[in-house]
Coordinates of all heavy atoms in Angstrom, one line a residue:
V198 N -4.2 -29.9 14.1 CA -4.1 -30.2 12.7 C -5.4 -30.8 12.2 O -6.0 -31.7 12.7 CB -3.0 -31.3 12.5 CG1 -2.9 -31.7 11.1 CG2 -1.6 -30.7 13.0
S199 N -6.0 -30.1 11.2 CA -7.2 -30.6 10.6 C -6.9 -31.6 9.5 O -5.8 -31.8 9.1 CB -8.0 -29.4 10.0 OG -7.4 -28.9 8.8
D200 N -8.0 -32.2 9.0 CA -7.8 -33.2 8.0 C -7.4 -32.7 6.6 O -7.1 -33.4 5.7 CB -9.1 -34.1 7.8 CG -10.3 -33.2 7.5 OD1 -10.2 -32.0 7.2 OD2 -11.4 -33.8 7.5
R201 N -7.4 -31.4 6.5 CA -6.9 -30.8 5.2 C -5.5 -30.2 5.3 O -5.1 -29.4 4.5 CB -7.9 -29.7 4.8 CG -8.0 -28.5 5.7 CD -9.1 -27.5 5.3 NE -9.1 -26.4 6.2 CZ -8.3 -25.3 6.1 NH1 -7.4 -25.3 5.2 NH2 -8.4 -24.4 7.0
F202 N -4.8 -30.6 6.3 CA -3.4 -30.1 6.6 C -2.5 -30.4 5.4 O -2.4 -31.6 4.9 CB -2.8 -30.7 7.9 CG -1.4 -30.1 8.1 CD1 -1.2 -28.9 8.7 CD2 -0.3 -30.9 7.8 CE1 0.1 -28.4 8.9 CE2 1.0 -30.4 8.0 CZ 1.2 -29.2 8.6
T203 N -1.8 -29.4 4.9 CA -0.8 -29.5 3.9 C 0.4 -28.7 4.3 O 0.3 -27.5 4.6 CB -1.3 -29.0 2.5 OG1 -2.5 -29.7 2.2 CG2 -0.3 -29.3 1.4
R204 N 1.6 -29.4 4.3 CA 2.8 -28.7 4.7 C 3.2 -27.7 3.6 O 2.9 -27.9 2.4 CB 3.9 -29.7 4.8 CG 5.2 -29.2 5.5 CD 5.1 -29.2 7.0 NE 6.4 -29.0 7.6 CZ 6.8 -27.9 8.1 NH1 6.0 -26.8 8.0 NH2 8.0 -27.8 8.7
G205 N 3.7 -26.5 4.0 CA 4.2 -25.5 3.0 C 5.3 -26.0 2.2 O 5.9 -27.1 2.5
M206 N 5.7 -25.3 1.2 CA 6.8 -25.6 0.3 C 8.0 -24.6 0.5 O 7.8 -23.5 0.9 CB 6.4 -25.5 -1.2 CG 5.5 -26.6 -1.7 SD 5.3 -26.5 -3.5 CE 7.0 -26.6 -4.0
E207 N 9.2 -25.1 0.3 CA 10.4 -24.3 0.3 C 10.7 -23.9 -1.1 O 10.9 -24.8 -2.0 CB 11.5 -25.0 1.0 CG 11.3 -25.2 2.5 CD 12.6 -25.8 3.2 OE1 13.6 -26.0 2.4 OE2 12.5 -25.9 4.4
L208 N 10.8 -22.6 -1.4 CA 11.3 -22.1 -2.7 C 12.7 -21.5 -2.4 O 12.7 -20.4 -1.8 CB 10.3 -21.1 -3.3 CG 8.9 -21.7 -3.5 CD1 8.0 -20.6 -4.0 CD2 8.9 -22.8 -4.5
R209 N 13.7 -22.2 -2.8 CA 15.1 -21.7 -2.5 C 15.7 -21.0 -3.7 O 15.5 -21.5 -4.8 CB 15.9 -22.9 -2.0 CG 15.5 -23.4 -0.7 CD 16.4 -24.5 -0.2 NE 16.1 -24.9 1.2 CZ 16.6 -24.3 2.3 NH1 17.6 -23.4 2.1 NH2 16.3 -24.6 3.5
G210 N 16.4 -19.9 -3.5 CA 17.0 -19.2 -4.6 C 18.4 -18.7 -4.3 O 18.7 -18.5 -3.1
R211 N 19.1 -18.5 -5.3 CA 20.4 -17.9 -5.1 C 20.3 -16.4 -4.6 O 21.1 -15.9 -3.9 CB 21.2 -18.0 -6.4 CG 21.6 -19.4 -6.8 CD 22.1 -19.5 -8.3 NE 23.3 -18.8 -8.5 CZ 23.9 -18.6 -9.7 NH1 23.3 -19.2 -10.8 NH2 25.1 -18.0 -9.8
Y212 N 19.2 -15.8 -5.1 CA 18.8 -14.5 -4.6 C 17.3 -14.5 -4.4 O 16.5 -15.1 -5.1 CB 19.2 -13.4 -5.5 CG 20.7 -13.3 -5.7 CD1 21.4 -13.8 -6.8 CD2 21.5 -12.8 -4.6 CE1 22.8 -13.7 -6.9 CE2 22.9 -12.7 -4.7 CZ 23.5 -13.2 -5.9 OH 24.9 -13.1 -6.0
T213 N 16.8 -13.7 -3.4 CA 15.4 -13.5 -3.1 C 15.1 -12.0 -3.1 O 15.7 -11.2 -2.4 CB 15.1 -14.1 -1.7 OG1 15.4 -15.5 -1.7 CG2 13.6 -13.9 -1.4
L214 N 14.0 -11.7 -3.9 CA 13.6 -10.3 -4.0 C 12.2 -10.2 -3.3 O 11.3 -11.0 -3.5 CB 13.4 -9.9 -5.4 CG 14.7 -9.8 -6.3 CD1 14.4 -9.4 -7.7 CD2 15.7 -8.8 -5.7
L215 N 12.1 -9.2 -2.3 CA 10.9 -9.0 -1.6 C 10.2 -7.8 -2.2 O 10.6 -6.7 -2.0 CB 11.2 -8.8 -0.1 CG 12.0 -9.9 0.6 CD1 12.3 -9.5 2.0 CD2 11.2 -11.2 0.5
G216 N 9.1 -8.1 -2.8 CA 8.2 -7.1 -3.5 C 6.8 -7.2 -2.9 O 5.8 -7.2 -3.7
E217 N 6.6 -7.2 -1.6 CA 5.3 -7.4 -1.0 C 4.5 -6.2 -0.9 O 3.3 -6.3 -0.5 CB 5.6 -8.0 0.4 CG 6.4 -9.2 0.6 CD 6.8 -9.4 2.0 OE1 7.6 -8.7 2.5 OE2 6.2 -10.4 2.6
G218 N 5.0 -5.0 -1.2 CA 4.2 -3.8 -1.0 C 4.5 -3.2 0.4 O 5.3 -3.7 1.1
A219 N 3.7 -2.2 0.7 CA 3.9 -1.5 2.0 C 3.7 -2.4 3.2 O 2.8 -3.2 3.3 CB 2.9 -0.3 2.1
R220 N 4.7 -2.3 4.1 CA 4.7 -3.1 5.4 C 4.5 -4.6 5.2 O 3.8 -5.3 5.9 CB 3.5 -2.6 6.2 CG 3.6 -2.9 7.7 CD 4.7 -2.2 8.4 NE 4.6 -2.3 9.9 CZ 5.2 -1.5 10.8 NH1 6.0 -0.6 10.4 NH2 5.0 -1.7 12.1
G221 N 5.3 -5.1 4.2 CA 5.2 -6.5 3.9 C 5.8 -7.3 5.1 O 6.7 -6.8 5.8
S222 N 5.2 -8.4 5.5 CA 5.6 -9.1 6.7 C 7.0 -9.7 6.6 O 7.7 -9.6 7.6 CB 4.6 -10.3 6.9 OG 4.4 -11.1 5.8
L223 N 7.4 -10.2 5.5 CA 8.8 -10.7 5.4 C 9.8 -9.5 5.3 O 10.9 -9.6 5.8 CB 9.0 -11.6 4.2 CG 8.2 -12.9 4.2 CD1 8.6 -13.8 3.1 CD2 8.3 -13.6 5.6
S224 N 9.4 -8.5 4.6 CA 10.2 -7.3 4.5 C 10.5 -6.7 5.9 O 11.6 -6.3 6.2 CB 9.6 -6.2 3.6 OG 9.3 -6.7 2.3
K225 N 9.4 -6.7 6.7 CA 9.6 -6.2 8.1 C 10.6 -7.0 8.8 O 11.4 -6.4 9.6 CB 8.2 -6.2 8.7 CG 8.1 -5.7 10.1 CD 6.7 -5.8 10.7 CE 6.6 -5.5 12.2 NZ 5.3 -5.6 12.7
I226 N 10.6 -8.3 8.7 CA 11.5 -9.2 9.3 C 12.9 -8.9 8.8 O 13.9 -8.8 9.6 CB 11.1 -10.7 9.1 CG1 9.8 -11.0 9.9 CG2 12.2 -11.6 9.5 CD1 9.2 -12.3 9.5
A227 N 13.1 -8.8 7.5 CA 14.4 -8.6 6.9 C 15.0 -7.3 7.3 O 16.2 -7.2 7.6 CB 14.3 -8.7 5.4
I228 N 14.2 -6.2 7.4 CA 14.6 -4.9 7.8 C 15.2 -5.0 9.2 O 16.2 -4.4 9.5 CB 13.5 -3.9 7.7 CG1 13.2 -3.6 6.2 CG2 13.9 -2.6 8.4 CD1 12.0 -2.8 5.9
K229 N 14.5 -5.6 10.1 CA 14.9 -5.7 11.5 C 16.1 -6.6 11.6 O 17.1 -6.3 12.3 CB 13.8 -6.3 12.4 CG 14.1 -6.4 13.8 CD 12.9 -6.8 14.7 CE 13.3 -6.9 16.1 NZ 12.1 -7.3 17.0
R230 N 16.1 -7.8 11.0 CA 17.2 -8.8 11.1 C 18.6 -8.2 10.6 O 19.6 -8.4 11.2 CB 16.9 -10.0 10.4 CG 18.0 -11.1 10.5 CD 17.6 -12.4 9.7 NE 18.7 -13.4 9.7 CZ 18.7 -14.4 10.5 NH1 17.7 -14.6 11.4 NH2 19.7 -15.3 10.5
F231 N 18.5 -7.5 9.5 CA 19.7 -7.0 8.9 C 20.0 -5.5 9.2 O 20.9 -4.9 8.6 CB 19.7 -7.2 7.4 CG 19.7 -8.7 7.0 CD1 18.5 -9.3 6.6 CD2 20.8 -9.5 7.2 CE1 18.5 -10.6 6.2 CE2 20.8 -10.8 6.9 CZ 19.6 -11.4 6.4
G232 N 19.1 -4.9 10.0 CA 19.3 -3.5 10.4 C 19.3 -2.5 9.2 O 20.0 -1.5 9.1
L233 N 18.4 -2.8 8.3 CA 18.3 -2.0 7.0 C 17.8 -0.6 7.2 O 18.0 0.3 6.4 CB 17.4 -2.7 6.0 CG 17.8 -4.2 5.7 CD1 16.9 -4.8 4.6 CD2 19.2 -4.3 5.2
D234 N 17.2 -0.3 8.4 CA 16.7 1.0 8.6 C 17.6 1.9 9.5 O 17.3 3.0 9.8 CB 15.3 1.0 9.3 CG 15.3 0.2 10.6 OD1 16.3 -0.5 10.9 OD2 14.3 0.2 11.2
Q235 N 18.8 1.3 9.8 CA 19.7 2.1 10.6 C 20.2 3.3 9.8 O 20.6 3.2 8.6 CB 20.9 1.2 11.0 CG 20.6 0.2 12.0 CD 21.8 -0.7 12.4 OE1 22.9 -0.4 12.0 NE2 21.5 -1.7 13.1
G236 N 20.2 4.5 10.4 CA 20.7 5.7 9.8 C 19.6 6.3 8.8 O 19.9 7.3 8.2
R237 N 18.4 5.7 8.8 CA 17.3 6.3 8.0 C 16.3 6.9 8.9 O 16.1 6.5 10.1 CB 16.7 5.2 7.2 CG 17.2 5.0 5.8 CD 18.7 4.5 5.7 NE 19.1 4.1 4.4 CZ 20.2 3.6 4.1 NH1 21.2 3.4 5.0 NH2 20.5 3.2 2.8

Side-chain angles (χ1 to χ4, degrees):
V198 176
S199 73
D200 56 7
R201 60 184 185 84
F202 179 81
T203 305
R204 194 82 166 99
M206 287 186 60
E207 293 186 356
L208 301 175
R209 293 183 170 269
R211 293 165 65 184
Y212 295 106
T213 301
L214 296 178
L215 301 179
E217 304 168 288
R220 198 69 165 196
S222 53
L223 296 189
S224 303
K225 183 180 171 183
I226 291 169
I228 289 170
K229 183 177 181 180
R230 181 183 178 98
F231 297 106
L233 304 180
D234 56 353
Q235 291 182 7
R237 268 63 169 184

